[in-house]
Every structure is written in structure tokens, then in C-alpha cells.
Amino acid sequence: MRPSTKNSRNNPMKKYFSNPLFIPLSVLFLSAIVGGLPPVGIKIALRQLESPMILLFRLLIMIPLFLLVSWKHLGILKNNYRTIFPVAIFWMGNIVVFAFGIPYTTASVSQVLYTGVPVLVAALSPMFLKENPTKSQIVGICIGILGTLVIVFGGGGSITSGSLKGNVLVFIATLSWSLYILYTRKQKSLIPASVNLLCGTLLALPFSMWLVYMSKSGFILPVLTMSTIGAVIFVGFIGGFVMFILHQWSTQRVPAVMSASTGYISVISSTLAATYFLGEHLKFYEWMGLLFLIVAVVLTATLPLLARHIRKTMI
């Protein structure tokens, strides 16, 4: 037993990778990378489609997929609707309001505004979940805010590249996303992720259909190009079904502040993707802001997990 203990102490990284949080956190990182890409796909689709129609297509792609993977678990709705309903409502609020804010702002700024989520989650976690953020997470959140300010105001107020209307709508979506994370974490793994998401998409469907009806083009579709079709499929499948399943599953299993802080990764992936696909070129101060965000991710999500296991190996 003594050699085993010694080896464990000499290999803290082995303990790190064997930790129960390692896989959920890795999945969360992947979902965050994918989560930064839908704004780019939506902006491409907006060249031919209005925002309500894109939202409707996205929901119509996700609903049958969520239904397929949650079919065997639908029986839990009867006794757990009070637990599922808040998650579904806040998920719906995020995706619906975000869909109407993105046409009035840029893909980069839309994700930058989401960096305010960790602040709200860190403030509410002690009350909702009895989870207190660590010192490194608090420092990381502050650095994330600094990175956000550098990106937004580094060019003398580049937030004006998105309208006030668009930025306010996206900010409201961030509030819904924060509450969605808190209530999802409160569920832990008691409710299958697909059931929560199925309920959320079903709640959003009639709302999106009404908005399409009230939109300028209504249900009339133009002849769509392959780039538009590909963007819609990507937003619905990869940037919708896959991303939300990964995020919901992992959020149920990791501390809320960690989950919220990985949104900084989405800012990075969205900004880089927008640079490549949309020609939203980055300036020096924006690269500096992204560097701050990378440091923030390390401090809020990676370092606390590593430090916890290094301490255990030294006992």
C-alpha cells in the first residue's frame, strides 16, 4: 500500500484525470466550443431568412431528435414537472430572445455579452445550490470581465457595432441562461438532459410559429442557397441538438460556476469563427481580450479541479 500511495503523490495528474469531474468538465469544454458557433451560422442564414424562420427551423430539427433520445424517459414528467418546468422555461427564454437579438448585433459581441453569466451564477450559487466560488474562480471571473471590457471598449466603444436593441435582447437571454444553469445544476443527474430539452423546445415551438406568422415574409420562403441550407442544418443539429445535450448533461454534474465560466470558451470560438466565415477581423486589443478570457477559463474551471486533487495527494 505504501508504494501505491507514493506513486499517487508523485503523479497528481493521474489523480486529476481519474477524478469523477474530469469527463463532465471535458464534455462541458467541448459543448462550449460548439456553443460559440451558432451565432455565425445564424448570421449566414440571415442573408436569406428572417430570424423567426431560422428559429422555427432550428426547433423543428431539434424536437424529433430530443424526442427520439428521451422517449423511454417521458414517464418521469408526471411526478417531476415542477422540477423540469423552470429549466424548460429558462432554456426557452434564452434561445427565443437570443434569436431575436442576434440580427441587431455582431456574432462576436453577442458572445461577449454572455460573459456576464458567471458573475450572476457566482452571486446566486450560494443561495440556490449552497456552492461557494473559490478564490481562483472569483479572480478568474474578474479577469473574464476585464477581457470582455477590453474587447468591447478597446476600440473606443466597439459595442456600437451592435445596436442597443440587439445588445439588450442578448443580455436578457444571458439572464435566462444563468437561471437555466442554476436550475439544471439543482437537478443534478436526476432528470435526463433530453427530457428537459424536449420540454423547452416544445414550449418554444408555438411561440416561434406565431412570430413567423407576424414577420414581414411570413411563411413564404425564397429559393435557398446551399450555404443557407447548410447553415440552418448546422445551427439545428450540431449547434442545437448536439451542443445542448452535451451542455445539459455536463452542467448537471459540475459546479455551477465552472459550467457558467466555460462560456468564455464560446466567446473565443465564436470570435475566431466569425473572423474566418464572416470577415469580422480582430484588432490587437481584441486578441488581448481573448488572452484574458483564456486565463479566466483556466482559473475558474481548470485550476480549482487540479488544485483540489494536488491537495488530496499531499495528505
Side-chain angles (χ1 to χ4, degrees):
M1 295 300 294
R2 297 293 297 177
S4 175
T5 303
K6 183 178 180 180
N7 290 336
S8 176
R9 291 178 180 177
N10 292 334
N11 295 280
M13 292 304 296
K14 183 177 181 181
K15 281 284 188 178
Y16 177 78
F17 289 116
S18 64
N19 183 267
L21 284 179
F22 176 73
I23 292 178
L25 189 59
S26 299
V27 172
L28 189 62
F29 272 47
L30 178 60
S31 72
I33 294 173
V34 177
L37 304 181
V40 177
I42 291 173
K43 295 292 283 189
I44 293 174
L46 281 170
R47 296 169 182 171
Q48 285 193 287
L49 298 173
E50 293 184 75
S51 180
M53 183 61 74
I54 297 172
L55 173 61
L56 179 59
F57 277 139
R58 192 180 192 187
L59 294 173
L60 290 176
I61 291 172
M62 290 191 291
I63 286 175
L65 296 172
F66 287 143
L67 182 61
L68 180 65
V69 298
S70 63
W71 182 259
K72 294 182 180 180
H73 305 288
L74 294 181
I76 67 174
L77 288 171
K78 183 178 179 180
N79 297 323
N80 296 278
Y81 65 92
R82 291 183 180 179
T83 302
I84 297 172
F85 187 71
V87 175
I89 284 291
F90 291 125
W91 183 90
M92 178 193 72
N94 170 67
I95 193 172
V96 170
V97 177
F98 177 79
F100 283 91
I102 190 64
Y104 305 103
T105 188
T106 66
S108 300
V109 170
S110 70
Q111 289 301 308
V112 166
L113 292 174
Y114 268 80
T115 60
V117 171
V119 179
L120 183 58
V121 171
L124 296 178
S125 287
M127 179 179 65
F128 270 78
L129 307 170
K130 309 300 181 184
E131 294 179 356
N132 296 310
T134 65
K135 292 181 180 179
S136 67
Q137 288 175 327
I138 294 174
V139 172
I141 290 172
C142 293
I143 293 176
I145 294 173
L146 177 60
T148 300
L149 295 177
V150 169
I151 293 174
V152 173
F153 297 108
S158 64
I159 198 168
T160 56
S161 59
S163 69
L164 177 63
K165 176 182 178 180
N167 293 333
V168 169
L169 286 173
V170 173
F171 178 73
I172 292 173
T174 67
L175 296 179
S176 291
W177 188 249
S178 301
L179 293 170
Y180 158 80
I181 289 174
L182 289 167
Y183 276 98
T184 297
R185 173 58 177 164
K186 195 172 184 178
Q187 286 182 344
K188 297 189 176 179
S189 57
L190 300 177
I191 306 296
S194 57
V195 174
N196 287 322
L197 295 169
L198 175 63
C199 293
T201 50
L202 289 175
L203 287 174
L205 182 61
F207 184 72
S208 66
M209 293 179 69
W210 178 79
L211 290 173
V212 170
Y213 175 76
M214 297 297 294
S215 65
K216 183 177 180 180
S217 301
F219 288 94
I220 300 176
L221 289 174
V223 179
L224 301 179
T225 64
M226 291 303 297
S227 62
T228 300
I229 294 173
V232 169
I233 293 175
F234 176 83
V235 168
F237 181 63
I238 302 297
F241 170 72
V242 174
M243 186 270 289
F244 284 121
I245 283 286
L246 294 177
H247 185 272
Q248 170 99 178
W249 180 87
S250 54
T251 297
Q252 290 175 329
R253 292 163 172 81
V254 303
V257 174
M258 281 188 179
S259 176
S261 299
T262 54
Y264 296 137
I265 300 175
S266 296
V267 179
I268 297 170
S269 65
S270 177
T271 304
L272 296 179
T275 301
Y276 182 79
F277 291 104
L278 303 178
E280 297 180 4
H281 300 294
L282 298 181
K283 298 179 176 64
F284 174 76
Y285 67 86
E286 291 173 314
W287 285 111
M288 289 299 298
L290 291 180
L291 179 60
F292 283 132
L293 294 180
I294 293 173
V295 174
V297 171
V298 173
L299 290 174
T300 55
T302 305
L303 185 61
L305 186 61
L306 179 60
R308 182 186 309 173
H309 289 278
I310 291 178
R311 287 196 299 269
K312 285 184 177 181
T313 60
M314 300 303 292
I315 297 174

